Amino acid sequence: MDMTVRPRRLRTSETLRKMVRETRVDAASLVYPIFVMEGKNKKEEIDAMPGQYRYTVDLFCKAIKSLYKDGVHAIMIFGIPDKKDEKASQAYAKDGIVQKALKAGKKACPDMYFITDVCLCEYTSHGHCGVISKKEVLNDPSVELIAKTALSHAKAGADMVAPSDMMDGRVGAIREILDKNGYENIPIMAYSAKYASAFYGPFREAAGSAPSFGDRKGYQMDFHNGREGIKEILLDIDEGADIVMVKPAMSYLDIVANAKEMIDVPMAAYSVSGEYAMVKAAAANGWIDEDRIVAEMSVSAYRAGVDIYITYYAREIAKMIRDGVIG
Ligand code: PBG
């Protein structure tokens, strides 16, 4: 056959395939989400997330040391308090669960990078991400408490804060309160394009944060909208976000790819609990090859333009990079 261009020429050996790869992956870009609860010496497996746990602070310290050794150098902390109330008091309490985890964790594993999820839903009695009046989630009073929570995390030692509530104006409010209190060097990673998603199902069980009435569609985004995701991302950058995030990851990589063209800050994507649960369940049934699926899922996020990948599979991905399976 008379052909000048034969794309298969560049696929003839593993060495060559690796040489011409378009996407390179580095474990330095991985962030592992981790759940911390009150109590001592306890570790509870999350039903719908086999292999993921809620840790008491002591075992959390152990877990992050082992994680660090395995090549994961950044975590995102989620707190599960004992007491919940209307005002989410435990979210910004000096001895709240995240604050305690930060203090102990920094001592146990000083080289780990500590990011905190900043939200109220795990701390409110009604499970919404803000303050409620007449069944409505109020924006501005919620922002006030969210900013207070971010400051309290910074005071307890957080290296970065990540607001996930989707209230309007929260990034600006957090930047302002951090700066006023001498934390001008603490970066904000904003959950910017966060969609109202059924993919968060297992997380809500893990954190006991399902809303007791209604849903989150009044603040999280409608999954039919792509351009609105870009609008949220640009708005957060305007308000001072250092890093922006798209969430969930797998079904939302169009938002990553489109936004990436327009922005000059790092882009993160969060592969959420439902993505993890689906892979685990299918793998447990022997229907898919877990490692290969995780390899494709993660590389596709990077291929779309992600700089930071937040995933419950961080440890496994770090190993795959080390072993040369991906990279
Ligand atoms: C808190 C928050 C949620 C997740 C991250 N931060 C839950 C939600 O918005 O309902 C989801 C993470 C996951 O599913 O892995 N607002």
mmCIF file of all heavy atoms in Angstrom, residues 33 35 49 76 78 117-122 127 129 162 164-166 191 194-195 197 199-204 207 209-211 216 219-220 247 270-276 312, ligand 1:
data_model
loop_
_atom_site.group_PDB
_atom_site.id
_atom_site.type_symbol
_atom_site.label_atom_id
_atom_site.label_comp_id
_atom_site.label_asym_id
_atom_site.label_seq_id
_atom_site.Cartn_x
_atom_site.Cartn_y
_atom_site.Cartn_z
ATOM 1 N N PRO A 33 -8.035 12.309 49.924
ATOM 2 C CA PRO A 33 -9.045 12.756 50.894
ATOM 3 C C PRO A 33 -9.137 11.765 52.046
ATOM 4 O O PRO A 33 -9.144 10.555 51.818
ATOM 5 C CB PRO A 33 -10.362 12.731 50.088
ATOM 6 C CG PRO A 33 -10.020 12.240 48.714
ATOM 7 C CD PRO A 33 -8.641 11.672 48.749
ATOM 8 N N PHE A 35 -10.908 10.951 56.129
ATOM 9 C CA PHE A 35 -11.969 11.267 57.096
ATOM 10 C C PHE A 35 -11.469 11.073 58.525
ATOM 11 O O PHE A 35 -10.913 10.018 58.852
ATOM 12 C CB PHE A 35 -13.175 10.343 56.876
ATOM 13 C CG PHE A 35 -13.760 10.456 55.503
ATOM 14 C CD1 PHE A 35 -13.391 9.573 54.488
ATOM 15 C CD2 PHE A 35 -14.679 11.454 55.202
ATOM 16 C CE1 PHE A 35 -13.933 9.681 53.209
ATOM 17 C CE2 PHE A 35 -15.220 11.571 53.929
ATOM 18 C CZ PHE A 35 -14.848 10.676 52.928
ATOM 19 N N MET A 49 -17.454 2.261 50.445
ATOM 20 C CA MET A 49 -16.113 2.584 49.959
ATOM 21 C C MET A 49 -15.096 1.629 50.579
ATOM 22 O O MET A 49 -14.287 2.026 51.423
ATOM 23 C CB MET A 49 -15.742 4.032 50.308
ATOM 24 C CG MET A 49 -16.706 5.064 49.747
ATOM 25 S SD MET A 49 -16.311 6.740 50.282
ATOM 26 C CE MET A 49 -14.857 7.087 49.293
ATOM 27 N N MET A 76 -6.339 15.827 51.952
ATOM 28 C CA MET A 76 -7.425 16.769 52.210
ATOM 29 C C MET A 76 -8.263 16.185 53.342
ATOM 30 O O MET A 76 -8.755 15.057 53.248
ATOM 31 C CB MET A 76 -8.264 16.946 50.962
ATOM 32 C CG MET A 76 -9.455 17.812 51.212
ATOM 33 S SD MET A 76 -9.622 19.010 49.915
ATOM 34 C CE MET A 76 -10.348 17.993 48.714
ATOM 35 N N PHE A 78 -11.356 15.772 55.959
ATOM 36 C CA PHE A 78 -12.788 15.940 56.214
ATOM 37 C C PHE A 78 -13.054 15.567 57.658
ATOM 38 O O PHE A 78 -12.622 14.503 58.113
ATOM 39 C CB PHE A 78 -13.613 15.039 55.298
ATOM 40 C CG PHE A 78 -13.553 15.445 53.862
ATOM 41 C CD1 PHE A 78 -12.587 14.920 53.015
ATOM 42 C CD2 PHE A 78 -14.446 16.379 53.362
ATOM 43 C CE1 PHE A 78 -12.519 15.315 51.687
ATOM 44 C CE2 PHE A 78 -14.392 16.775 52.037
ATOM 45 C CZ PHE A 78 -13.422 16.245 51.204
ATOM 46 N N ASP A 117 -10.903 20.568 53.752
ATOM 47 C CA ASP A 117 -12.176 20.859 53.107
ATOM 48 C C ASP A 117 -12.912 21.821 54.033
ATOM 49 O O ASP A 117 -13.044 21.561 55.226
ATOM 50 C CB ASP A 117 -12.971 19.564 52.946
ATOM 51 C CG ASP A 117 -14.332 19.799 52.319
ATOM 52 O OD1 ASP A 117 -14.426 19.845 51.087
ATOM 53 O OD2 ASP A 117 -15.315 19.935 53.080
ATOM 54 N N VAL A 118 -13.340 22.942 53.478
ATOM 55 C CA VAL A 118 -14.059 23.926 54.288
ATOM 56 C C VAL A 118 -15.530 23.904 53.889
ATOM 57 O O VAL A 118 -15.889 24.317 52.785
ATOM 58 C CB VAL A 118 -13.479 25.341 54.079
ATOM 59 C CG1 VAL A 118 -14.281 26.374 54.861
ATOM 60 C CG2 VAL A 118 -12.008 25.380 54.484
ATOM 61 N N CYS A 119 -16.350 23.352 54.769
ATOM 62 C CA CYS A 119 -17.780 23.298 54.495
ATOM 63 C C CYS A 119 -18.526 23.138 55.814
ATOM 64 O O CYS A 119 -17.926 22.846 56.842
ATOM 65 C CB CYS A 119 -18.114 22.146 53.558
ATOM 66 S SG CYS A 119 -19.746 22.353 52.805
ATOM 67 N N LEU A 120 -19.824 23.326 55.768
ATOM 68 C CA LEU A 120 -20.595 23.230 57.014
ATOM 69 C C LEU A 120 -21.454 21.971 57.078
ATOM 70 O O LEU A 120 -21.945 21.609 58.147
ATOM 71 C CB LEU A 120 -21.492 24.469 57.177
ATOM 72 C CG LEU A 120 -20.787 25.828 57.134
ATOM 73 C CD1 LEU A 120 -21.804 26.951 57.333
ATOM 74 C CD2 LEU A 120 -19.679 25.923 58.176
ATOM 75 N N CYS A 121 -21.616 21.276 55.944
ATOM 76 C CA CYS A 121 -22.628 20.201 55.897
ATOM 77 C C CYS A 121 -22.362 19.064 56.878
ATOM 78 O O CYS A 121 -23.295 18.448 57.376
ATOM 79 C CB CYS A 121 -22.811 19.666 54.484
ATOM 80 S SG CYS A 121 -21.330 18.914 53.801
ATOM 81 N N GLU A 122 -21.100 18.784 57.182
ATOM 82 C CA GLU A 122 -20.817 17.719 58.154
ATOM 83 C C GLU A 122 -21.127 18.177 59.584
ATOM 84 O O GLU A 122 -21.165 17.367 60.498
ATOM 85 C CB GLU A 122 -19.346 17.287 58.095
ATOM 86 C CG GLU A 122 -18.895 16.697 56.769
ATOM 87 C CD GLU A 122 -18.048 17.678 55.967
ATOM 88 O OE1 GLU A 122 -18.569 18.772 55.649
ATOM 89 O OE2 GLU A 122 -16.889 17.363 55.671
ATOM 90 N N GLY A 127 -27.722 19.076 57.819
ATOM 91 C CA GLY A 127 -26.907 18.527 56.732
ATOM 92 C C GLY A 127 -26.742 19.414 55.509
ATOM 93 O O GLY A 127 -26.166 18.988 54.502
ATOM 94 N N CYS A 129 -25.146 22.878 53.540
ATOM 95 C CA CYS A 129 -23.816 23.502 53.575
ATOM 96 C C CYS A 129 -23.861 24.941 54.083
ATOM 97 O O CYS A 129 -22.914 25.701 53.869
ATOM 98 C CB CYS A 129 -23.186 23.443 52.189
ATOM 99 S SG CYS A 129 -23.095 21.781 51.533
ATOM 100 N N ALA A 162 -9.800 24.638 51.284
ATOM 101 C CA ALA A 162 -10.558 24.316 50.069
ATOM 102 C C ALA A 162 -12.062 24.389 50.351
ATOM 103 O O ALA A 162 -12.652 23.428 50.831
ATOM 104 C CB ALA A 162 -10.169 22.916 49.586
ATOM 105 N N SER A 164 -15.871 24.084 49.824
ATOM 106 C CA SER A 164 -16.652 23.195 48.948
ATOM 107 C C SER A 164 -18.147 23.463 49.026
ATOM 108 O O SER A 164 -18.953 22.652 48.594
ATOM 109 C CB SER A 164 -16.384 21.738 49.333
ATOM 110 O OG SER A 164 -16.899 21.456 50.614
ATOM 111 N N ASP A 165 -18.517 24.612 49.595
ATOM 112 C CA ASP A 165 -19.929 24.866 49.904
ATOM 113 C C ASP A 165 -20.746 25.396 48.717
ATOM 114 O O ASP A 165 -21.955 25.241 48.674
ATOM 115 C CB ASP A 165 -19.975 25.913 51.002
ATOM 116 C CG ASP A 165 -19.136 27.119 50.597
ATOM 117 O OD1 ASP A 165 -17.896 27.027 50.660
ATOM 118 O OD2 ASP A 165 -19.713 28.130 50.167
ATOM 119 N N MET A 166 -20.082 26.086 47.802
ATOM 120 C CA MET A 166 -20.730 26.693 46.629
ATOM 121 C C MET A 166 -21.636 27.888 46.952
ATOM 122 O O MET A 166 -22.536 28.229 46.169
ATOM 123 C CB MET A 166 -21.497 25.662 45.799
ATOM 124 C CG MET A 166 -20.594 24.728 45.006
ATOM 125 S SD MET A 166 -19.486 25.576 43.850
ATOM 126 C CE MET A 166 -20.585 25.878 42.455
ATOM 127 N N TYR A 191 -13.428 24.825 45.300
ATOM 128 C CA TYR A 191 -14.308 23.903 44.558
ATOM 129 C C TYR A 191 -15.175 24.850 43.722
ATOM 130 O O TYR A 191 -16.198 25.336 44.180
ATOM 131 C CB TYR A 191 -15.218 23.154 45.510
ATOM 132 C CG TYR A 191 -14.648 22.037 46.367
ATOM 133 C CD1 TYR A 191 -13.787 22.292 47.433
ATOM 134 C CD2 TYR A 191 -15.053 20.714 46.155
ATOM 135 C CE1 TYR A 191 -13.336 21.258 48.249
ATOM 136 C CE2 TYR A 191 -14.616 19.680 46.982
ATOM 137 C CZ TYR A 191 -13.753 19.956 48.014
ATOM 138 O OH TYR A 191 -13.331 18.943 48.823
ATOM 139 N N LYS A 194 -18.597 22.907 41.068
ATOM 140 C CA LYS A 194 -19.034 21.729 41.827
ATOM 141 C C LYS A 194 -20.497 21.470 41.496
ATOM 142 O O LYS A 194 -21.362 22.299 41.751
ATOM 143 C CB LYS A 194 -18.851 21.966 43.322
ATOM 144 C CG LYS A 194 -19.357 20.800 44.161
ATOM 145 C CD LYS A 194 -19.036 20.951 45.628
ATOM 146 C CE LYS A 194 -19.626 19.808 46.421
ATOM 147 N NZ LYS A 194 -19.330 19.899 47.845
ATOM 148 N N TYR A 195 -20.719 20.314 40.901
ATOM 149 C CA TYR A 195 -22.056 19.992 40.403
ATOM 150 C C TYR A 195 -22.864 19.227 41.450
ATOM 151 O O TYR A 195 -22.299 18.447 42.234
ATOM 152 C CB TYR A 195 -21.926 19.169 39.114
ATOM 153 C CG TYR A 195 -21.465 20.035 37.949
ATOM 154 C CD1 TYR A 195 -20.116 20.286 37.729
ATOM 155 C CD2 TYR A 195 -22.392 20.647 37.124
ATOM 156 C CE1 TYR A 195 -19.699 21.107 36.683
ATOM 157 C CE2 TYR A 195 -21.994 21.472 36.074
ATOM 158 C CZ TYR A 195 -20.653 21.698 35.866
ATOM 159 O OH TYR A 195 -20.242 22.519 34.839
ATOM 160 N N SER A 197 -24.517 16.340 42.440
ATOM 161 C CA SER A 197 -24.223 15.053 41.809
ATOM 162 C C SER A 197 -24.565 13.862 42.685
ATOM 163 O O SER A 197 -24.284 13.853 43.880
ATOM 164 C CB SER A 197 -22.731 15.015 41.462
ATOM 165 O OG SER A 197 -22.340 13.736 41.034
ATOM 166 N N PHE A 199 -22.992 11.275 42.384
ATOM 167 C CA PHE A 199 -21.692 10.656 42.634
ATOM 168 C C PHE A 199 -21.178 10.906 44.061
ATOM 169 O O PHE A 199 -20.192 10.325 44.471
ATOM 170 C CB PHE A 199 -20.650 11.183 41.636
ATOM 171 C CG PHE A 199 -20.735 10.566 40.262
ATOM 172 C CD1 PHE A 199 -21.305 11.248 39.209
ATOM 173 C CD2 PHE A 199 -20.241 9.290 40.022
ATOM 174 C CE1 PHE A 199 -21.374 10.687 37.935
ATOM 175 C CE2 PHE A 199 -20.300 8.716 38.763
ATOM 176 C CZ PHE A 199 -20.872 9.410 37.711
ATOM 177 N N TYR A 200 -21.820 11.803 44.807
ATOM 178 C CA TYR A 200 -21.382 12.055 46.194
ATOM 179 C C TYR A 200 -22.060 11.122 47.194
ATOM 180 O O TYR A 200 -21.839 11.248 48.402
ATOM 181 C CB TYR A 200 -21.665 13.500 46.641
ATOM 182 C CG TYR A 200 -21.209 14.585 45.692
ATOM 183 C CD1 TYR A 200 -21.910 15.789 45.604
ATOM 184 C CD2 TYR A 200 -20.084 14.416 44.907
ATOM 185 C CE1 TYR A 200 -21.506 16.796 44.733
ATOM 186 C CE2 TYR A 200 -19.684 15.416 44.020
ATOM 187 C CZ TYR A 200 -20.398 16.590 43.938
ATOM 188 O OH TYR A 200 -20.002 17.587 43.079
ATOM 189 N N GLY A 201 -22.912 10.228 46.713
ATOM 190 C CA GLY A 201 -23.689 9.354 47.608
ATOM 191 C C GLY A 201 -22.881 8.687 48.715
ATOM 192 O O GLY A 201 -23.175 8.859 49.901
ATOM 193 N N PRO A 202 -21.832 7.937 48.357
ATOM 194 C CA PRO A 202 -21.073 7.232 49.403
ATOM 195 C C PRO A 202 -20.413 8.186 50.401
ATOM 196 O O PRO A 202 -20.316 7.880 51.582
ATOM 197 C CB PRO A 202 -20.023 6.455 48.610
ATOM 198 C CG PRO A 202 -20.611 6.306 47.238
ATOM 199 C CD PRO A 202 -21.399 7.564 47.012
ATOM 200 N N PHE A 203 -19.988 9.357 49.926
ATOM 201 C CA PHE A 203 -19.365 10.346 50.824
ATOM 202 C C PHE A 203 -20.341 10.765 51.915
ATOM 203 O O PHE A 203 -19.981 10.903 53.080
ATOM 204 C CB PHE A 203 -18.929 11.583 50.038
ATOM 205 C CG PHE A 203 -18.443 12.728 50.900
ATOM 206 C CD1 PHE A 203 -17.098 12.882 51.166
ATOM 207 C CD2 PHE A 203 -19.340 13.639 51.456
ATOM 208 C CE1 PHE A 203 -16.645 13.934 51.966
ATOM 209 C CE2 PHE A 203 -18.901 14.690 52.251
ATOM 210 C CZ PHE A 203 -17.550 14.835 52.511
ATOM 211 N N ARG A 204 -21.592 10.965 51.531
ATOM 212 C CA ARG A 204 -22.569 11.456 52.510
ATOM 213 C C ARG A 204 -22.812 10.410 53.583
ATOM 214 O O ARG A 204 -23.057 10.740 54.733
ATOM 215 C CB ARG A 204 -23.847 11.884 51.801
ATOM 216 C CG ARG A 204 -23.578 13.148 50.992
ATOM 217 C CD ARG A 204 -24.777 13.690 50.278
ATOM 218 N NE ARG A 204 -24.344 14.751 49.360
ATOM 219 C CZ ARG A 204 -25.112 15.296 48.443
ATOM 220 N NH1 ARG A 204 -26.375 14.897 48.314
ATOM 221 N NH2 ARG A 204 -24.645 16.239 47.666
ATOM 222 N N ALA A 207 -19.575 10.639 55.798
ATOM 223 C CA ALA A 207 -19.475 11.823 56.651
ATOM 224 C C ALA A 207 -20.786 12.108 57.386
ATOM 225 O O ALA A 207 -20.870 13.059 58.161
ATOM 226 C CB ALA A 207 -19.070 13.027 55.809
ATOM 227 N N SER A 209 -23.499 13.306 56.187
ATOM 228 C CA SER A 209 -23.800 14.697 55.832
ATOM 229 C C SER A 209 -24.916 14.825 54.791
ATOM 230 O O SER A 209 -25.013 15.845 54.122
ATOM 231 C CB SER A 209 -22.536 15.380 55.319
ATOM 232 O OG SER A 209 -22.142 14.790 54.094
ATOM 233 N N ALA A 210 -25.758 13.788 54.654
ATOM 234 C CA ALA A 210 -26.867 13.912 53.697
ATOM 235 C C ALA A 210 -27.857 14.947 54.235
ATOM 236 O O ALA A 210 -28.154 14.970 55.429
ATOM 237 C CB ALA A 210 -27.555 12.568 53.516
ATOM 238 N N PRO A 211 -28.373 15.835 53.376
ATOM 239 C CA PRO A 211 -29.331 16.836 53.862
ATOM 240 C C PRO A 211 -30.612 16.157 54.374
ATOM 241 O O PRO A 211 -31.083 15.196 53.767
ATOM 242 C CB PRO A 211 -29.611 17.700 52.634
ATOM 243 C CG PRO A 211 -29.033 16.998 51.459
ATOM 244 C CD PRO A 211 -28.070 15.975 51.943
ATOM 245 N N ARG A 216 -29.258 19.744 47.258
ATOM 246 C CA ARG A 216 -28.272 20.827 47.195
ATOM 247 C C ARG A 216 -28.353 21.601 45.874
ATOM 248 O O ARG A 216 -27.429 22.326 45.514
ATOM 249 C CB ARG A 216 -26.866 20.246 47.354
ATOM 250 C CG ARG A 216 -26.630 19.492 48.656
ATOM 251 C CD ARG A 216 -25.173 19.591 49.068
ATOM 252 N NE ARG A 216 -24.695 18.518 49.906
ATOM 253 C CZ ARG A 216 -25.013 18.349 51.178
ATOM 254 N NH1 ARG A 216 -25.879 19.171 51.764
ATOM 255 N NH2 ARG A 216 -24.499 17.353 51.873
ATOM 256 N N TYR A 219 -27.584 25.395 45.457
ATOM 257 C CA TYR A 219 -26.240 25.999 45.508
ATOM 258 C C TYR A 219 -25.228 25.245 44.648
ATOM 259 O O TYR A 219 -24.412 25.862 43.990
ATOM 260 C CB TYR A 219 -25.745 26.201 46.946
ATOM 261 C CG TYR A 219 -26.072 25.129 47.962
ATOM 262 C CD1 TYR A 219 -25.096 24.251 48.408
ATOM 263 C CD2 TYR A 219 -27.343 25.014 48.514
ATOM 264 C CE1 TYR A 219 -25.372 23.285 49.378
ATOM 265 C CE2 TYR A 219 -27.630 24.034 49.467
ATOM 266 C CZ TYR A 219 -26.647 23.174 49.879
ATOM 267 O OH TYR A 219 -26.931 22.220 50.829
ATOM 268 N N GLN A 220 -25.292 23.912 44.611
ATOM 269 C CA GLN A 220 -24.398 23.209 43.691
ATOM 270 C C GLN A 220 -24.983 23.305 42.270
ATOM 271 O O GLN A 220 -26.165 23.561 42.085
ATOM 272 C CB GLN A 220 -24.245 21.752 44.130
ATOM 273 C CG GLN A 220 -23.600 21.650 45.512
ATOM 274 C CD GLN A 220 -23.439 20.221 45.992
ATOM 275 O OE1 GLN A 220 -23.903 19.282 45.363
ATOM 276 N NE2 GLN A 220 -22.783 20.065 47.134
ATOM 277 N N LYS A 247 -15.539 19.250 39.980
ATOM 278 C CA LYS A 247 -15.960 18.087 40.764
ATOM 279 C C LYS A 247 -17.390 17.705 40.414
ATOM 280 O O LYS A 247 -18.247 18.590 40.338
ATOM 281 C CB LYS A 247 -15.875 18.467 42.248
ATOM 282 C CG LYS A 247 -16.308 17.385 43.185
ATOM 283 C CD LYS A 247 -16.246 17.887 44.589
ATOM 284 C CE LYS A 247 -16.952 16.893 45.472
ATOM 285 N NZ LYS A 247 -17.373 17.456 46.709
ATOM 286 N N TYR A 270 -11.586 16.458 41.259
ATOM 287 C CA TYR A 270 -11.808 15.561 42.395
ATOM 288 C C TYR A 270 -12.586 14.344 41.907
ATOM 289 O O TYR A 270 -13.744 14.455 41.513
ATOM 290 C CB TYR A 270 -12.613 16.320 43.458
ATOM 291 C CG TYR A 270 -12.768 15.660 44.816
ATOM 292 C CD1 TYR A 270 -12.988 16.441 45.952
ATOM 293 C CD2 TYR A 270 -12.704 14.285 44.988
ATOM 294 C CE1 TYR A 270 -13.140 15.870 47.209
ATOM 295 C CE2 TYR A 270 -12.851 13.704 46.239
ATOM 296 C CZ TYR A 270 -13.079 14.507 47.342
ATOM 297 O OH TYR A 270 -13.235 13.930 48.589
ATOM 298 N N SER A 271 -11.918 13.215 41.915
ATOM 299 C CA SER A 271 -12.590 11.949 41.584
ATOM 300 C C SER A 271 -13.299 11.477 42.853
ATOM 301 O O SER A 271 -12.669 11.045 43.809
ATOM 302 C CB SER A 271 -11.554 10.925 41.114
ATOM 303 O OG SER A 271 -12.194 9.716 40.828
ATOM 304 N N VAL A 272 -14.607 11.584 42.854
ATOM 305 C CA VAL A 272 -15.358 11.522 44.119
ATOM 306 C C VAL A 272 -15.739 10.104 44.523
ATOM 307 O O VAL A 272 -15.483 9.137 43.808
ATOM 308 C CB VAL A 272 -16.611 12.423 44.051
ATOM 309 C CG1 VAL A 272 -16.205 13.876 43.837
ATOM 310 C CG2 VAL A 272 -17.577 11.945 42.982
ATOM 311 N N SER A 273 -16.404 10.037 45.681
ATOM 312 C CA SER A 273 -16.732 8.760 46.310
ATOM 313 C C SER A 273 -17.486 7.801 45.393
ATOM 314 O O SER A 273 -17.203 6.607 45.377
ATOM 315 C CB SER A 273 -17.528 9.016 47.581
ATOM 316 O OG SER A 273 -18.690 9.781 47.308
ATOM 317 N N GLY A 274 -18.428 8.317 44.612
ATOM 318 C CA GLY A 274 -19.212 7.438 43.744
ATOM 319 C C GLY A 274 -18.371 6.830 42.633
ATOM 320 O O GLY A 274 -18.614 5.694 42.208
ATOM 321 N N GLU A 275 -17.392 7.565 42.169
ATOM 322 C CA GLU A 275 -16.496 7.030 41.141
ATOM 323 C C GLU A 275 -15.702 5.867 41.729
ATOM 324 O O GLU A 275 -15.560 4.804 41.119
ATOM 325 C CB GLU A 275 -15.545 8.126 40.641
ATOM 326 C CG GLU A 275 -16.258 9.306 39.990
ATOM 327 C CD GLU A 275 -15.290 10.419 39.565
ATOM 328 O OE1 GLU A 275 -14.277 10.134 38.905
ATOM 329 O OE2 GLU A 275 -15.554 11.592 39.907
ATOM 330 N N TYR A 276 -15.212 6.077 42.947
ATOM 331 C CA TYR A 276 -14.458 5.034 43.647
ATOM 332 C C TYR A 276 -15.343 3.817 43.887
ATOM 333 O O TYR A 276 -14.950 2.676 43.611
ATOM 334 C CB TYR A 276 -13.958 5.612 44.974
ATOM 335 C CG TYR A 276 -13.171 4.640 45.844
ATOM 336 C CD1 TYR A 276 -11.806 4.463 45.654
ATOM 337 C CD2 TYR A 276 -13.798 3.921 46.856
ATOM 338 C CE1 TYR A 276 -11.086 3.591 46.456
ATOM 339 C CE2 TYR A 276 -13.087 3.038 47.659
ATOM 340 C CZ TYR A 276 -11.730 2.882 47.457
ATOM 341 O OH TYR A 276 -11.013 2.016 48.254
ATOM 342 N N TYR A 312 -9.345 8.981 46.037
ATOM 343 C CA TYR A 312 -9.212 7.945 47.059
ATOM 344 C C TYR A 312 -8.226 6.864 46.621
ATOM 345 O O TYR A 312 -7.822 6.027 47.413
ATOM 346 C CB TYR A 312 -10.591 7.338 47.357
ATOM 347 C CG TYR A 312 -11.573 8.392 47.842
ATOM 348 C CD1 TYR A 312 -12.468 9.013 46.968
ATOM 349 C CD2 TYR A 312 -11.561 8.808 49.174
ATOM 350 C CE1 TYR A 312 -13.343 9.999 47.397
ATOM 351 C CE2 TYR A 312 -12.427 9.798 49.620
ATOM 352 C CZ TYR A 312 -13.315 10.386 48.721
ATOM 353 O OH TYR A 312 -14.161 11.372 49.158
HETATM 354 C C1 PBG B 1 -18.878 18.839 51.348
HETATM 355 C C2 PBG B 1 -18.282 17.915 50.375
HETATM 356 C C3 PBG B 1 -18.877 16.851 49.702
HETATM 357 C C4 PBG B 1 -17.863 16.219 48.985
HETATM 358 C C5 PBG B 1 -16.705 16.946 49.216
HETATM 359 N N1 PBG B 1 -16.983 17.991 50.065
HETATM 360 C C6 PBG B 1 -20.246 16.337 49.728
HETATM 361 C C7 PBG B 1 -21.359 17.101 49.175
HETATM 362 O O1 PBG B 1 -21.215 18.183 48.630
HETATM 363 O O2 PBG B 1 -22.464 16.582 49.333
HETATM 364 C C8 PBG B 1 -17.993 14.989 48.148
HETATM 365 C C9 PBG B 1 -16.786 14.122 48.073
HETATM 366 C C10 PBG B 1 -17.008 12.757 47.541
HETATM 367 O O3 PBG B 1 -18.118 12.374 47.146
HETATM 368 O O4 PBG B 1 -16.022 12.013 47.511
HETATM 369 N N2 PBG B 1 -19.800 19.740 50.857
#
